[in-house]
Amino acid sequence: MGGYDNGDSTAAAALAEGGVILGVDGGTTNTVCVCLPAAMSPPESPAAVPVLARAVAGCSNRNSVGESTALETLEQVMTEALALANTDRSAVRAVCLAVSGVNHPSDQLRMLEWIRDLFPENSKFFVENDAVAALASGTMGKLHGCVLIAGTGCIAYGVTEDGKVARAAGAGPVLGDWGSGYGIAAQALTAVIKAYDGRGPQTSLTKDILEKLELSSPDEIIGWTYADPSWARIAALVPVVVSSAEDGDEVANRILHDSVQELADTVIAVVRRLRLCGEDGKDIFPLVLVGGVLEGNKKWDISGEVIKCISKVFPGTDPIWPEVEPAIGAALLAWSHHCKGLKLENGS
């Protein structure tokens, strides 16, 4: 994931002479910032991206932690990345903030107004939803195709070659992101409570979740849930649901099958709206897959099942598992915009 380690002052100083680029992937679980040299050559491969520094902080989704905390986290992670690269804010040439919870132009405007006060006047700034960085991580900075993110939250985001965009889901758990990690885990917790009440079938999720949470009775789950209902805390139970399903539990399997269909429907909606599949529905298009829910499991291959569902509708689906993280995708987008700006300034 790049050729330089944090603290490699000689390499960092040499590459950062022409200024630096920051890429930020702000999620509901954590926030990552990478620092690249502005004067770098186009990377020939994912492994050739010269990362000067990488920093990690907590959640920066303002819908989850509030706007003030989210902005503090973003500033913290960018400041740390610059320090690790042995440089400072004056060297910043461009920044791409790709943050979950940025869903409307007004969200972008507020964040742009905020970030302009942090860096030099001649710096370039780009604010996007985190799905944009995830897509760019699979296409190495080229915005074309569709990305499905399924982690704590979920979203599908697509871009055509002429710049048209569409999205589906990404509105949070209250508004139906049931293919997300939070959605899967919340359904599992609900199933345990229903089984305990006698309103639903018995399930091994009861024993498995109680063991995971070190609780003695299902009614204790209520207090555990509302003591801290943060999305990431609930979503952390997804591996328990997958394990129960792999062991044959019918309730857990139904939850995962339903979630697979939700995720597939989310992608299908975006692809259909943008006609990424072409007029006949058979054109090849890249589908970038990102997020912990889509990571490979022993028996229950969630991403594989999602791809099967989508491919039944659009046989041209070309799945891509990125070799670089979304923060690098964000940085490559910022770097690309920076390079285009230099060409315009030089009249080329």
Side-chain angles (χ1 to χ4, degrees):
M1 190 183 63
Y4 296 89
D5 296 325
N6 287 337
D8 186 350
S9 58
T10 303
L15 281 171
E17 286 184 359
V20 297
I21 304 293
L22 296 180
V24 179
D25 171 39
T28 305
T29 303
N30 56 39
T31 301
V32 178
C33 177
V34 297
C35 182
L36 306 183
M40 71 179 189
S41 300
E44 296 181 358
S45 69
V49 179
V51 178
L52 300 177
R54 178 181 187 272
V56 183
C59 173
S60 57
N61 184 322
R62 66 187 186 89
N63 296 329
S64 180
V65 296
E67 187 162 356
S68 177
T69 299
L71 295 179
E72 287 175 8
T73 298
L74 290 168
E75 183 171 3
Q76 170 195 335
V77 77
M78 290 188 289
T79 300
E80 183 178 346
L82 289 169
L84 290 170
N86 295 290
T87 188
D88 57 33
R89 299 183 187 192
S90 66
V92 173
R93 300 293 180 264
V95 181
C96 178
L97 294 178
V99 185
S100 63
V102 173
N103 300 315
H104 190 270
S106 62
D107 300 330
Q108 293 175 304
L109 183 59
R110 278 202 307 275
M111 201 161 282
L112 282 170
E113 290 174 347
W114 166 76
I115 196 173
R116 286 191 182 108
D117 292 332
L118 300 181
F119 297 104
E121 290 184 6
N122 61 343
S123 299
K124 306 297 182 183
F125 306 108
F126 311 93
V127 176
E128 304 285 356
N129 185 275
D130 62 334
V132 176
L135 175 59
S137 72
T139 59
M140 290 299 290
K142 181 182 179 182
L143 286 183
H144 170 247
C146 184
V147 61
L148 173 64
I149 302 177
T152 299
C154 66
I155 187 173
Y157 184 94
V159 184
T160 63
E161 291 186 331
D162 60 356
K164 295 176 183 175
V165 301
R167 56 174 284 174
V174 176
L175 298 176
D177 289 353
W178 292 111
S180 67
Y182 180 99
I184 291 170
Q187 290 176 79
L189 290 170
T190 301
V192 171
I193 295 300
K194 283 188 171 184
Y196 182 64
D197 288 348
R199 294 182 291 134
Q202 294 302 307
T203 168
S204 64
L205 285 168
T206 299
K207 175 180 68 70
D208 295 342
I209 288 177
L210 289 178
E211 286 181 359
K212 175 66 175 179
L213 301 181
E214 300 182 344
L215 302 176
S216 58
S217 173
D219 57 5
E220 294 180 46
I221 287 177
I222 301 170
W224 177 88
T225 300
Y226 292 108
D228 177 10
S230 64
W231 299 351
R233 179 171 175 261
I234 302 296
L237 293 173
V238 168
V240 179
V241 184
V242 173
S243 178
S244 297
E246 289 176 344
D247 289 339
D249 184 77
E250 291 185 8
V251 174
N253 270 286
R254 186 176 69 248
I255 289 170
L256 293 186
H257 279 295
D258 290 346
S259 298
V260 162
Q261 193 61 57
E262 285 278 350
L263 293 172
D265 288 345
T266 300
V267 171
I268 289 168
V270 169
V271 173
R272 186 168 282 145
R273 283 161 59 190
L274 293 178
R275 296 186 179 180
L276 290 172
C277 53
E279 294 296 330
D280 62 357
K282 297 180 180 180
D283 284 6
I284 296 173
F285 66 91
L287 173 62
V288 179
L289 299 145
V290 176
V293 170
L294 298 173
E295 291 177 357
N297 299 294
K298 297 174 185 176
K299 302 176 186 175
W300 235 112
D301 183 7
I302 295 176
S303 62
E305 293 300 316
V306 170
I307 292 166
K308 285 180 186 177
C309 288
I310 297 169
S311 296
K312 288 177 183 177
V313 182
F314 302 125
T317 303
D318 179 22
I320 297 172
W321 285 266
E323 295 182 48
V324 299
E325 64 183 333
I328 292 180
L332 289 173
L333 285 175
W335 174 78
S336 178
H337 284 297
H338 169 69
C339 291
K340 288 177 182 176
L342 290 179
K343 288 182 179 179
L344 289 173
E345 290 173 10
N346 294 331
S348 59

